[in-house]
Structure formats: C-alpha cells, structure tokens
C-alpha cells in the first residue's frame, strides 16, 4: 500500500512541468527508485538466438565488455578501459564486500543492522529507512540488490566498517586485489562525486568475483519482486532482464545524469555464465537492448568444453616409491572456452611421463593435455600427481627384497 502510494506520487512528479518541473538528476533518481515507471520492452524472451557468427554486435553505446565467468575470457570489448562514473553499479563492490563478510563468518543474515541519520539522508534511490530502525542483513541485501537502496548501502557500510569512509577504503583495497586499475571509489552507493570512476573492464572483474566466490548472491539478484517491513513496502528489481531474459542471474543497474544508464548483466545457459557490462547508454532501453545483444552474441557463438581427454590417463609407475604408481589428475572443472564451430574438430593430445623416481609430491607435474584446433594450440592443461608417494627407506627396500627372495 505504501509502495503503491509512493509510485503514484512519483508518477505525478515525472509528469510535472513548468515551475514544478524536475531536474534531469531528479528524473534519473526517480527511475532508479521506482523502476515501475520506466518504459521498457516487456516482450518475454522467446528462446530464439541469432545465427552463430562472430561479427561484433552494434550496441549504440560508448563503452561495453562481455566476458565468460569461469575462464574470464573476453568475448567482446569496446572502449573497456575508459574510466567513467558507474552510478549504482558501484554497489557490485558493496555487495561483494558484504558477501565476503557473510561467507567468511564475520556477520550473519539474521544480524540486526541499525540505521543512522547519515544513512537515512542519502537521497537518490532509497527504501526510506529512518534513523533508529534496525533491519536484518538479509533485508539490507534485498534493499541494496533489488531496489538499489543508497540508505541501505550506507547502513551496511557503517555496520561492517564503522563508517562509510572506512568501508570505501576497503572497497578500493578489494579493487586493487582484483586488478581494477581504472577504478577509484569515493562512496559505496554510486551517488555522483568527483573522481568516483571505474571502467567496463573493472566492473566485469568485480562482477565475476562476486558470482564466482559467492554463488548465493543469486538468491537476491534473481528476485523480481519482494517486500520489506512485513510486506508493506514493495521492492521491484531495477534489472528488467531478471524477468525478461532467459537464464538471467543478475546483476546491477545504475543511472545518474552524469553516468547516464549503466548495467552489469549476467546470465547462464548450458553451464556457461556470461557477464555483459554497459556504460553510459543514452537511455534505459538502450542499455538493456545492448546487454541482450551481447549476451545473445556470446551464447550463440561460444561454448565451454572439458579439457579432459576421452580416455583417462593411466597411472604412472614410481621407482622406489612406497606406492608402485601414482594416479594422474587434471584439475577439477578444467574447461576452456571455444567457438561453437570448433567443438567437433578439437584435438586433445596427452603427454605423460613414462615413469618417475620417488619421492613424488602431490601436485607435481606429470605431463599435460594440449588442446588444438586446426593445428593451433588453444590451451595446455597440466596433469599432476593426485597424491604424495614417499621414497622407500633402506630398511623398507631390504624388507621388500627379503620378501621377494623368500617367496621363490
């Protein structure tokens, strides 16, 4: 009920003119807070992909990138290193640090997070939290991920780090750890601030880290509608792809008059997850259409394949080892990204040591699998020892020889 009234009021504001007209920034803030007001092509995805072909899609945006999550391979890039304001896509890093704390056992979903006066007065997209209120970490995450609440972002930052400033320091440290060299964070919400910038590439890096290290974030990023305050305040996801793109898994929208319309969009099909980042689109429709084009391009043309050979490598004999042989292994989940047209003609060549001398250490390289296409090497994956094989001692060798002699 409260949400419906707020939406009605926001609609009246958007339609206002003359002396009561809104600024451009006001309109961006309203659209971010109330995505229901946004005009969007709500045609559900019909399951048809464009024909495979590696011609780059025409996006109509100044900066974009498409990566595959597992390998980190870049499938498409356009001015991906240009530093630009990211608006609320900033919250991908906020989400990452919150999930680091959750999965690290530092906080729990049931913990109560207080709201300060500073958090209450953030402005922009918000869920209208008030000073003195308390919300669980779970509800804070829903407010941040689904509704892009600036108030919730700052409240979580203060809860985790004592102040937004200290939290932002951690954001920049985490960015450095991920190699996000085009990024400087000035706040945890994405509100306009001089020098608060990142790039499409860097957004892809932190989005990949979030999806890889914290798969449970999808419990929030895939929610279309939810609520707070015992169902009295409706949350509507600002990311329309969650409802209208097959396999969408997230991730975050953002828009201000300076940043224009930004998006980090992720989707998964047939065991492959892609991340498409759009920056500075001229409209919300353009950002979603561009993300769709990139994701369609990736799913139509690429596939993850196992690097594991068709025949399991045989154990390798070990001279003077406690065990007479060692089992070779390939790292679990060793997969590579290839063009779909290459899959049938891939060649996997196994090179393996004929024998080894003890001691053998677990993880020691025993050989490699070379994957080729049309004579070109696509990948080399090491084959390693699955276990330690210590060397026999003098007395162990003596006992073994004695046993062999007595059995004659």
């Amino acid at each position: 009920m409260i949400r419906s009234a707020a939406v009605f009021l926001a609609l009246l504001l958007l339609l206002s003119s003359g002396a009561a007209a809104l600024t451009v920034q006001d309109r961006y803030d309203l659209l971010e807070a109330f995505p229901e007001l946004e005009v969007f092509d709500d045609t559900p995805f019909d399951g048809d992909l464009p024909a495979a072909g590696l011609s780059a899609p025409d996006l109509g945006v100044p900066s974009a990138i498409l990566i595959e999550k597992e390998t980190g391979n870049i499938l498409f890039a356009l001015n991906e290193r240009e530093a630009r304001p990211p608006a609320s896509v900033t919250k991908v890093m906020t989400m990452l640090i919150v999930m680091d704390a959750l999965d690290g056992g530092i906080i729990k979903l049931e913990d109560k997070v207080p709201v300060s006066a500073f958090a209450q007065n953030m402005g922009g997209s918000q869920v209208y939290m008030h000073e003195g209120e308390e919300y669980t970490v779970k509800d804070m995450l829903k407010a941040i991920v689904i509704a892009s609440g600036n108030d919730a972002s700052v409240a979580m930052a203060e809860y985790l780090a004592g102040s937004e400033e200290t939290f932002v320091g951690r954001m920049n440290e985490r960015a450095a750890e991920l190699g996000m060299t085009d990024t400087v964070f000035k706040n945890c919400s994405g509100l306009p601030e001089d020098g608060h910038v990142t790039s499409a590439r860097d957004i892809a890096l932190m989005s990949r880290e979030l999806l890889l290290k914290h798969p449970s974030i999808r419990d929030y990023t895939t929610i279309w509608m939810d609520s707070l305050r015992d169902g009295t305040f409706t949350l509507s996801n600002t990311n329309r792809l969650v409802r209208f793109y097959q396999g969408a898994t997230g991730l975050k929208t953002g828009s201000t008059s300076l940043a224009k319309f930004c998006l980090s969009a992720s989707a998964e099909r047939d065991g492959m997850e892609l991340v498409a980042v759009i920056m500075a689109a001229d409209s919300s429709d353009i950002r979603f259409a561009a993300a769709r084009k990139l994701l369609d391009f990736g799913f139509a043309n690429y596939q993850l394949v196992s690097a594991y050979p068709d025949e399991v490598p045989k154990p390798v004999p070990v001279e003077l080892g406690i065990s007479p042989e060692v089992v070779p292994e390939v790292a679990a989940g060793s997969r590579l990204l290839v063009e779909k047209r290459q899959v049938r003609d891939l060649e996997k060549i196994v090179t393996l040591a004929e024998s080894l001398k003890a001691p053998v250490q677990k993880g020691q390289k025993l050989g490699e699998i070379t994957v080729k296409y049309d004579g070109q090497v696509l990948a080399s994956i090491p084959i390693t020892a699955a276990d330690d094989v210590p060397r026999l001692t003098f007395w162990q060798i003596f006992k073994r020889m004695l046993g062999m002699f007595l059995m004659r």
Side-chain angles (χ1 to χ4, degrees):
M1 186 71 179
I2 295 174
R3 177 73 177 185
S4 299
V7 170
F8 178 72
L9 178 59
L11 180 59
L12 288 178
L13 288 171
L14 276 177
L15 295 174
S16 65
S17 59
L22 299 174
T23 66
V24 173
Q25 183 61 59
D26 289 335
R27 291 175 182 271
Y28 277 94
D29 290 341
L30 280 171
L31 284 174
E32 189 74 2
F34 300 99
E36 301 96 320
L37 305 177
E38 180 184 308
V39 177
F40 181 74
D41 177 10
D42 283 351
T43 305
F45 179 80
D46 60 11
D48 293 329
L49 286 173
L54 293 181
S55 57
D58 182 12
L59 303 179
V61 298
S63 180
I65 195 170
L66 176 69
I67 70 166
E68 191 280 315
K69 179 202 69 179
E70 185 175 318
T71 62
N73 287 5
I74 296 174
L75 310 184
F76 174 92
L78 173 67
N79 300 323
E80 75 281 7
R81 299 299 299 270
E82 287 186 359
R84 298 172 179 271
S88 284
V89 179
T90 297
K91 295 184 177 80
V92 172
M93 180 58 79
T94 302
M95 292 152 58
L96 175 58
I97 294 178
V98 172
M99 293 305 296
D100 283 344
L102 265 174
D103 290 346
I106 298 171
I107 59 174
K108 298 179 181 178
L109 286 173
E110 300 77 24
D111 290 351
K112 294 294 183 68
V113 180
V115 179
S116 68
F118 181 65
Q120 174 188 325
N121 294 318
M122 273 300 99
S125 56
Q126 56 187 306
V127 292
Y128 305 101
M129 294 179 170
H130 297 287
E131 180 184 5
E133 287 185 320
E134 289 186 336
Y135 294 83
T136 63
V137 170
K138 182 177 181 178
D139 280 346
M140 285 291 187
L141 264 175
K142 288 197 295 185
I144 294 167
V145 176
I146 303 170
S148 197
N150 295 330
D151 41 7
S153 298
V154 172
M156 274 305 310
E158 292 175 333
Y159 180 69
L160 281 173
S163 70
E164 184 187 20
E165 181 180 3
T166 303
F167 185 86
V168 171
R170 177 57 185 143
M171 291 172 69
N172 285 309
E173 289 174 1
R174 197 75 169 86
E177 292 169 5
L178 295 175
M180 296 168 58
T181 53
D182 309 318
T183 298
V184 177
F185 291 120
K186 294 294 185 74
N187 59 61
C188 67
S189 62
L191 284 167
E193 191 167 342
D194 287 345
H196 182 94
V197 294
T198 187
S199 65
R201 168 190 173 272
D202 285 4
I203 291 173
L205 285 174
M206 64 179 177
S207 299
R208 177 179 183 244
E209 180 79 355
L210 179 61
L211 292 166
L212 266 177
K213 297 294 179 63
H214 307 293
S216 60
I217 192 63
R218 295 170 183 79
D219 295 341
Y220 303 90
T221 57
T222 57
I223 294 173
W224 174 237
M225 300 285 287
D226 210 308
S227 63
L228 293 177
R229 305 185 183 101
D230 297 321
T232 61
F233 188 88
T234 301
L235 300 175
S236 181
N237 202 321
T238 58
N239 180 7
R240 292 305 199 224
L241 297 184
V242 167
R243 182 177 181 185
F244 299 110
Y245 190 82
Q246 180 187 346
T249 56
L251 200 55
K252 191 71 196 73
T253 62
S255 59
T256 65
S257 57
L258 184 63
K260 297 188 177 181
F261 290 89
C262 305
L263 173 66
S264 177
S266 58
E268 184 174 12
R269 293 181 193 166
D270 298 324
M272 180 176 73
E273 192 165 17
L274 303 178
V275 177
V277 178
I278 306 297
M279 296 194 77
D282 286 334
S283 73
S284 185
D285 275 355
I286 290 174
R287 74 172 163 188
F288 286 123
R292 277 186 169 191
K293 285 181 181 179
L294 278 184
L295 293 170
D296 284 351
F297 169 77
F299 287 125
N301 289 288
Y302 292 92
Q303 181 177 332
L304 278 173
V305 298
S306 173
Y308 209 82
D310 297 331
E311 294 185 9
V312 178
K314 296 179 180 179
V316 179
V318 179
E319 298 177 14
L320 299 178
I322 287 181
S323 173
E325 59 187 22
V326 63
V327 175
E329 67 175 2
V330 181
S334 290
R335 301 197 293 176
L336 63 150
L337 191 71
V338 298
E339 296 175 26
K340 285 187 174 181
R341 64 182 178 84
Q342 299 174 333
V343 173
R344 289 185 178 180
D345 298 317
L346 291 178
E347 184 182 7
K348 300 175 184 178
I349 304 167
V350 177
T351 305
L352 197 61
E354 293 183 2
S355 65
L356 298 166
K357 289 185 178 180
V360 176
Q361 295 181 332
K362 181 178 180 179
Q364 180 177 325
K365 186 175 179 180
L366 307 181
E368 64 182 10
I369 301 169
T370 303
V371 183
K372 291 184 176 182
Y373 174 77
D374 195 22
Q376 180 181 359
V377 176
L378 300 181
S380 295
I381 296 93
I383 300 174
T384 59
D387 297 292
D388 290 328
V389 180
R391 185 181 176 86
L392 290 167
T393 65
F394 172 80
W395 289 110
Q396 287 172 325
I397 294 173
F398 177 76
K399 289 179 181 178
R400 181 173 292 185
M401 292 180 67
L402 181 61
M404 292 171 63
F405 176 78
L406 293 176
M407 289 187 65
R408 288 182 179 179

